[in-house]
Amino acid sequence: MNRQNKAKTPKKAAPPTKPKPSLSKDPVEVFCRLRPNANVADLTCVRRYNDTTIQLVSPSSPRIELFYSFRYVFPETATQKELFDCVALPLVSDLLAGKNGLLFTYGITSSGKTFTVTGNPQNNGILPRCLDVIFNSIGDNQSRKYAFKPDGQNGFKIQSTPDAMLDLQKEKQYPRAAVATPARTPKIKRKENDENKEWEQREKETTSIELPNFDHAYAVFISYVEIYNNYIYDLLDDTMSDQLKLRQIQQPQSKMLREDSRKRVYVSGGTEIEVKNSVEAFDVFMKGVRRRRIAHTALNAESSRSHSVFNIRIVQAPRDSVKEVITDERFMIVSQLSLVDLAGSERTGRTQNTGERLREAGSINNSLMTLRSCIDVLRENQRANSNKIVPYRDNKLTHLFKNFFEGEGKIRMIICVNSGADDFDETMHVMKFAEATQEVMVTRATDPLKMIFESKERFETFDLRIPSSLLDDPDDDKVFPEWIEYFEERKKNSEIKFLTLHEQEQRFRSQLADMEAENMFLNKQVSVLKADLEVRENQLKTLESKCSHAERMSDNKAKRIEELEKKHKDLQREIDEMNRQLDAFEAEKREMKIRMREQLDHERERLKRIFERLLSEKQAELERQQCLTKEKMHLVKEILNSDNTDWEFLREYRESLYPNLPTENAATASVCPTPEARTQSTISAATVKRKSVADFAQSIATPPVHGEASAEPTSPKISSAPPVVNPRHRRSLSTGTEKWIDHRPPGTLDLGTVLRPKIKNKRSVTNLKELGTNDLKQCSKYALTHHEAVDNGEVETYVFKGEVIPSVGGGSQVIFQDVESLKQNSPPGR
Ligand SMILES: Nc1ncnc2c1ncn2[C@@H]1O[C@H](COP(=O)(O)OP(=O)(O)OP(=O)(O)O)[C@@H](O)[C@H]1O
């Protein structure tokens, strides 16, 4: 259900009574404009009650209805033209009549303030319309350019025609900085050109106001500043924006407020540009808008977070008969119209701003709060007839417009209202402020035109009427001499004036001639410069194309950089992840190392114990073997020293050592023993059977029949015949050069077998006693041959071999290293 249609008794039924204008004071006029809702389905909280009243309905319960009255309420459907005609046109009319005016828009963000002031190419706002009407009205009554020149202290001086022409000439030669455009990239240039073209095609305002005085020459000056964070920045200062662009300065320089000789506040050092038509004026304004963007980039600001002030000043002065401005500054009138687009009035709590934005919001609130305080104090002073100090100086915004509130001109305010229900609270604050504002009475400004027309000086300078005293009685005789005197006086004055004018004319002519000459010279220079310009323009075009190429490249590069940065981030993440894994792995590795070291120590300990056990076993074994070797040595020694008649003790000894050794029948002789066989032979050496020589002799005497032994191994027959020498099986003990001791105890037979050593370099002995100490020293090898009769009639021959080495006691000792044995049948028939 539509809330607006619901008939309810208004809580504040009667709109407030507006202060009645007194003869010398006018109230601040407040107009209200409703912005159409972007989404029709949205809930609204504002309704236009009638032409002057607004109804505000709270969206939540308890339902509150509030009424506020203003000079006029524009509905959502109101056009820009309607608004302009009603609100701004009277101010333009005042402006042309030499009176000041201040028009500001107030409201929350997006309520349509900028739309109302500037608008768009299709819907021109107040500002372009004001410019159109001003120039439509002035028409041909414009002064020559530079006839009026700002004096830098909020005033103007009137220049003589030659001076004005000289300045014009200078401007043509050296285009003014204010008109020059700062260097821009082709992309920005294109954008600006498109924007300009759009605005050029705007529908211009055709209204024209009749000028109050056609004898006057008019000049239009514009200035554009913004107030951001309580600093004032000049938006028409080219040098500043150039420096910003070239990064010579980090931030734009703020401007100071000063008071002129007539206590009027102005922006000190602010740029003021004279414009000759509305297109030029709007072009300058748009440049200001662009510089505002640049300044905001440098300041990290948002456009809607600053107050912008666009000033139009009209300077007018009487002209002479040749339509040149009379250079008498007493008759000059300067009037100003300020169009102010205030920043959004929403409170910080709602916007939830932080950091820089919070500071901005705080600053906006401060300036608007100061404005409210000033309004409150002004109201209070007027109500109570008190004289409290108005805190204009607390903020740049109020300080700048101090003069308006003190009677310098008319003040009008447009409050822009967004009818959305979400903005109820903020809208209510705006309404309250607006209502309070229109209660302030501002002293009406004096009419400067009237003052000048009524002034004595003007009368004396311009009025040619004959004084009425001379016309009282035409018949009076005294009158004529007075007439004559009066006219002679006027003639004299006229002649003086003529002479002065003639002098001025001559001066002007000579100046003109000089200028002509200079002009010709300059024309030549201009043609040279034009040629140069053409070349430069070509260069510029080339550079521009390069620049656009570079821009494209830069865009691509930026994209690439973005991609790479993304990739880099991904990789960084991966690296971080891997580092994390690596750390975990390192920690695990350290733990494992500690564990392994512990295991290693444990294993080492275990092996050490095993090794020590084995070592001790081995040592015991070695000691046992040493004992065994010693025993063997002893045995061999005994054999050597005995007459080898009784070998039984060897058997006993062997059996005592190796009780489990197999019987001799199992042993097989090997002529060329393998290491195992050699070991076996060595053992065999220790297991030499102890047999009597008689047994052996008997075995030789009764040898078994050839082949019989192998045929009947179980019934051995002892052969009594000596072993047969087989001449085919001969081998030498050694083919080396060593000297051998060939020990063959008595009874040793040459059996003709391969065991029979054939040693070249030898000393043969039957008993070792035959050898002297020197003989032993000369020999390095020792061989002992020994026969034994085996039970089955076979003969077993042993050859014990050893190294002769010198002993510690100076003698010699033999270390047996090898034993060879051979079993053979006793050869038959011998
Ligand atoms: N009366 C209107 N008719 C049509 N469109 C409007 C109207 N008022 C405002 N708008 C649109 O609403 C949008 C916001 O308006 P605008 O920028 O003028 O708000 P603002 O009050 O100046 O905001 P800020 O304080 O942020 O500068 C713009 O797109 C504008 O075109």
Side-chain angles (χ1 to χ4, degrees):
M1 197 165 78
N2 194 342
R3 284 181 185 204
Q4 273 76 16
N5 294 337
K6 207 175 166 189
K8 277 221 163 195
T9 316
K11 285 193 180 151
K12 198 179 171 185
T17 49
K18 273 185 263 173
K20 289 199 174 66
S22 72
L23 282 177
S24 58
K25 287 190 174 182
D26 291 317
V28 175
E29 291 171 311
V30 180
F31 298 82
C32 178
R33 184 182 199 182
L34 291 180
R35 199 202 114 169
N37 242 357
N39 194 347
V40 219
D42 281 356
L43 265 184
T44 54
C45 68
V46 185
R47 188 170 78 93
R48 186 177 184 258
Y49 192 72
N50 58 35
D51 279 0
T52 55
T53 310
I54 268 257
Q55 184 188 23
L56 211 62
V57 185
S58 67
S60 55
S61 57
R63 185 186 162 92
I64 306 166
E65 289 182 3
L66 300 165
F67 290 85
Y68 298 95
S69 281
F70 304 107
R71 171 87 188 270
Y72 190 79
V73 176
F74 292 94
E76 288 92 334
T77 50
T79 61
Q80 298 276 64
K81 167 103 178 122
E82 283 165 7
L83 189 103
F84 171 74
D85 286 348
C86 179
V87 184
L89 198 58
L91 291 178
V92 177
S93 178
D94 280 359
L95 181 72
L96 290 167
K99 293 175 195 168
N100 297 325
L102 167 65
L103 173 66
F104 57 95
T105 51
Y106 184 82
I108 64 168
T109 293
S110 278
S111 57
K113 297 183 295 296
T114 310
F115 181 79
T116 302
V117 174
T118 314
N120 54 46
Q122 295 75 39
N123 284 298
N124 294 335
I126 287 171
L127 192 147
R129 284 173 197 273
C130 282
L131 293 170
D132 286 342
V133 173
I134 289 168
F135 285 101
N136 291 345
S137 310
I138 294 173
D140 295 337
N141 295 305
Q142 270 201 69
S143 67
R144 186 189 291 278
K145 199 167 185 185
Y146 296 118
F148 301 102
K149 204 173 180 183
D151 63 1
Q153 287 166 348
N154 203 33
F156 287 88
K157 57 183 181 187
I158 303 174
Q159 295 206 107
S160 64
T161 310
D163 286 344
M165 285 177 76
L166 268 176
D167 277 356
L168 194 66
Q169 201 70 35
K170 269 187 214 158
E171 190 203 297
K172 279 183 185 161
Q173 276 176 37
Y174 315 106
R176 263 204 348 253
V179 185
T181 315
R184 293 154 298 167
T185 61
K187 205 174 170 182
I188 297 170
K189 233 179 182 175
R190 272 198 301 279
K191 209 176 149 196
E192 285 180 13
N193 285 342
D194 292 347
E195 207 173 29
N196 281 350
K197 266 184 203 153
E198 259 195 274
W199 276 104
E200 273 167 24
Q201 285 159 9
R202 74 188 169 91
E203 203 182 312
K204 283 194 185 152
E205 181 66 55
T206 49
T207 315
S208 149
I209 296 167
E210 199 178 326
L211 291 175
N213 198 325
F214 283 101
D215 287 344
H216 278 194
Y218 295 83
V220 183
F221 289 84
I222 54 176
S223 60
Y224 192 21
V225 296
E226 76 166 336
I227 303 169
Y228 173 70
N229 278 348
N230 210 24
Y231 287 103
I232 298 180
Y233 299 104
D234 183 359
L235 295 175
L236 300 185
D237 186 357
D238 256 341
T239 49
M240 183 186 77
S241 59
D242 279 353
Q243 282 173 327
L244 270 179
K245 283 211 157 196
L246 297 170
R247 305 206 184 286
Q248 286 168 348
I249 50 170
Q250 291 293 312
Q251 281 194 1
Q253 285 284 305
S254 65
K255 299 281 177 191
M256 304 276 287
L257 289 181
R258 287 195 203 288
E259 281 186 3
D260 65 8
S261 53
R262 286 189 289 170
K263 298 275 173 208
R264 282 185 307 200
V265 181
Y266 71 100
V267 178
S268 173
T271 312
E272 205 159 15
I273 297 171
E274 186 177 1
V275 282
K276 285 290 156 196
N277 53 57
S278 62
V279 175
E280 189 189 346
F282 195 74
D283 200 31
V284 173
F285 166 71
M286 284 310 288
K287 273 179 189 157
V289 171
R290 281 177 207 124
R291 277 179 204 131
R292 198 175 169 196
R293 285 180 209 147
I294 300 169
H296 286 175
T297 317
L299 288 164
N300 186 25
E302 277 180 31
S303 61
S304 63
R305 316 312 292 149
S306 66
H307 313 293
S308 71
V309 182
F310 185 76
N311 295 314
I312 307 168
R313 289 221 283 178
I314 291 187
V315 188
Q316 51 181 298
R319 290 186 291 187
D320 60 16
S321 52
V322 285
K323 301 227 168 205
E324 291 295 338
V325 177
I326 292 170
T327 54
D328 191 335
E329 280 158 21
R330 286 174 306 167
F331 310 117
M332 184 174 68
I333 300 168
V334 181
S335 52
Q336 175 176 335
L337 173 61
S338 296
L339 302 175
V340 185
D341 184 1
L342 290 178
S345 65
E346 62 279 356
R347 286 164 301 164
T348 47
R350 185 179 161 202
T351 50
Q352 293 176 345
N353 284 327
T354 52
E356 192 59 28
R357 297 286 163 267
L358 186 67
R359 202 160 78 89
E360 277 175 3
S363 163
I364 293 162
N365 279 352
N366 272 348
S367 53
L368 296 179
M369 192 95 89
T370 315
L371 184 63
R372 283 176 208 169
S373 309
C374 292
I375 300 269
D376 287 344
V377 176
L378 281 168
R379 267 167 67 213
E380 207 182 311
N381 281 349
Q382 283 160 15
R383 268 192 207 146
N385 210 9
S386 57
N387 204 12
K388 261 185 155 179
I389 293 172
V390 187
Y392 295 118
R393 283 172 179 272
D394 284 6
N395 197 278
K396 292 280 187 319
L397 179 73
T398 46
H399 192 189
L400 186 61
F401 297 114
K402 166 180 172 272
N403 303 113
F404 283 93
F405 288 99
E406 289 182 343
E408 193 66 38
K410 206 174 243 178
I411 305 175
R412 284 189 162 185
M413 181 165 87
I414 302 172
I415 52 164
C416 297
V417 178
N418 209 345
S419 54
D422 291 347
D423 300 322
F424 174 79
D425 284 347
E426 303 300 337
T427 308
M428 195 172 69
H429 279 98
V430 171
M431 295 289 172
K432 278 184 185 165
F433 170 65
E435 209 173 38
T437 307
Q438 65 185 350
E439 285 175 33
V440 174
M441 300 296 288
V442 179
T443 311
R444 194 175 300 157
T446 47
D447 187 346
L449 271 178
K450 202 171 162 220
M451 272 172 63
I452 283 181
F453 278 123
E454 286 171 359
S455 70
K456 191 169 157 251
E457 289 88 352
R458 181 172 170 107
F459 179 80
E460 281 176 354
T461 316
F462 302 108
D463 211 322
L464 301 176
R465 280 175 299 168
I466 298 162
S468 55
S469 60
L470 294 181
L471 299 170
D472 281 350
D473 185 4
D475 296 330
D476 190 351
D477 286 349
K478 284 183 197 166
V479 169
F480 287 105
E482 279 179 16
W483 270 55
I484 290 162
E485 199 184 328
Y486 171 74
F487 280 115
E488 271 179 358
E489 179 77 15
R490 280 191 69 161
K491 192 184 164 200
K492 222 164 83 187
N493 280 344
S494 295
E495 275 171 4
I496 292 167
K497 272 185 187 169
F498 179 77
L499 280 174
T500 319
L501 276 173
H502 186 69
E503 253 176 50
Q504 278 182 350
E505 192 189 332
Q506 289 303 319
R507 235 188 1 255
F508 179 66
R509 277 181 194 284
S510 73
Q511 276 180 351
L512 211 61
D514 291 348
M515 279 173 71
E516 275 300 319
E518 197 183 338
N519 201 20
M520 277 170 68
F521 170 71
L522 288 172
N523 275 342
K524 273 184 200 161
Q525 272 194 342
V526 165
S527 54
V528 174
L529 286 170
K530 263 185 187 164
D532 186 44
L533 190 71
E534 221 166 277
V535 175
R536 275 164 203 268
E537 265 172 1
N538 286 340
Q539 283 177 347
L540 199 70
K541 269 182 200 157
T542 319
L543 285 172
E544 269 178 6
S545 71
K546 274 185 188 170
C547 214
S548 54
H549 176 69
E551 255 179 17
R552 273 199 303 281
M553 295 276 285
S554 157
D555 285 351
N556 290 345
K557 286 262 182 303
K559 266 186 212 155
R560 181 90 187 105
I561 285 169
E562 215 171 273
E563 279 170 21
L564 285 173
E565 268 174 359
K566 202 163 155 266
K567 240 182 213 173
H568 177 253
K569 269 182 196 162
D570 290 347
L571 284 173
Q572 192 64 46
R573 259 200 302 279
E574 269 176 39
I575 288 171
D576 288 348
E577 179 59 25
M578 281 168 81
N579 276 343
R580 207 178 48 72
Q581 284 179 1
L582 206 67
D583 287 349
F585 178 71
E586 282 290 329
E588 203 179 309
K589 202 171 123 190
R590 272 198 301 277
E591 247 175 53
M592 194 177 270
K593 226 174 181 177
I594 292 165
R595 260 203 325 272
M596 292 302 287
R597 197 168 289 147
E598 279 171 8
Q599 269 186 13
L600 206 68
D601 289 348
H602 184 258
E603 196 62 22
R604 197 176 282 146
E605 200 58 37
R606 194 176 66 82
L607 287 175
K608 197 176 163 191
R609 279 200 303 274
I610 292 170
F611 174 73
E612 276 171 2
R613 189 167 51 77
L614 286 174
L615 194 70
S616 60
E617 278 174 15
K618 214 60 185 170
Q619 266 175 353
E621 174 68 20
L622 272 173
E623 272 169 23
R624 203 167 59 79
Q625 277 188 6
Q626 243 176 359
C627 285
L628 195 65
T629 312
K630 269 183 190 169
E631 285 290 333
K632 275 186 198 169
M633 291 295 295
H634 182 72
L635 181 66
V636 169
K637 202 172 175 183
E638 283 215 350
I639 293 168
L640 295 177
N641 290 336
S642 74
D643 289 338
N644 285 339
T645 50
D646 188 8
W647 296 88
E648 197 54 40
F649 75 97
L650 278 176
R651 181 194 296 269
E652 283 164 16
Y653 176 71
R654 173 179 160 269
E655 277 169 4
S656 73
L657 284 177
Y658 307 103
N660 299 326
L661 213 67
T663 56
E664 288 81 359
N665 289 346
T668 315
S670 160
V671 175
C672 200
T674 58
E676 292 82 19
R678 197 175 288 157
T679 314
Q680 201 180 345
S681 306
T682 314
I683 294 165
S684 301
T687 58
V688 173
K689 286 179 192 164
R690 198 177 174 202
K691 286 208 170 187
S692 66
V693 177
D695 289 344
F696 184 60
Q698 193 182 353
S699 72
I700 294 171
T702 55
V705 183
H706 188 70
E708 206 174 355
S710 53
E712 287 175 40
T714 47
S715 54
K717 288 177 187 166
I718 297 167
S719 168
S720 57
V724 178
V725 176
N726 187 351
R728 286 174 297 168
H729 300 287
R730 291 288 165 94
R731 61 183 281 273
S732 59
L733 263 183
S734 168
T735 52
T737 51
E738 304 96 344
K739 190 166 183 179
W740 285 80
I741 297 169
D742 186 13
H743 184 184
R744 290 167 176 263
T748 306
L749 299 171
D750 193 352
L751 297 174
T753 65
V754 288
L755 278 181
R756 188 179 147 203
K758 193 177 179 186
I759 307 164
K760 281 181 192 167
N761 195 7
K762 66 178 180 184
R763 170 82 187 269
S764 299
V765 288
T766 51
N767 194 328
L768 286 175
K769 284 176 186 168
E770 292 170 21
L771 291 171
T773 320
N774 284 340
D775 294 332
L776 276 170
K777 276 182 185 167
Q778 283 167 9
C779 299
S780 59
K781 297 276 183 178
Y782 174 80
L784 170 66
T785 311
H786 171 67
H787 299 296
E788 228 178 73
V790 191
D791 293 345
N792 56 4
E794 286 177 336
V795 176
E796 192 165 11
T797 309
Y798 295 93
V799 179
F800 298 91
K801 289 188 260 179
E803 293 265 348
V804 179
I805 54 168
S807 69
V808 184
S812 298
Q813 56 185 349
V814 177
I815 295 175
F816 286 94
Q817 290 166 330
D818 202 2
V819 177
E820 291 178 21
S821 64
L822 179 70
K823 260 184 198 172
Q824 65 182 149
N825 291 332
S826 185
R830 271 253 193 136

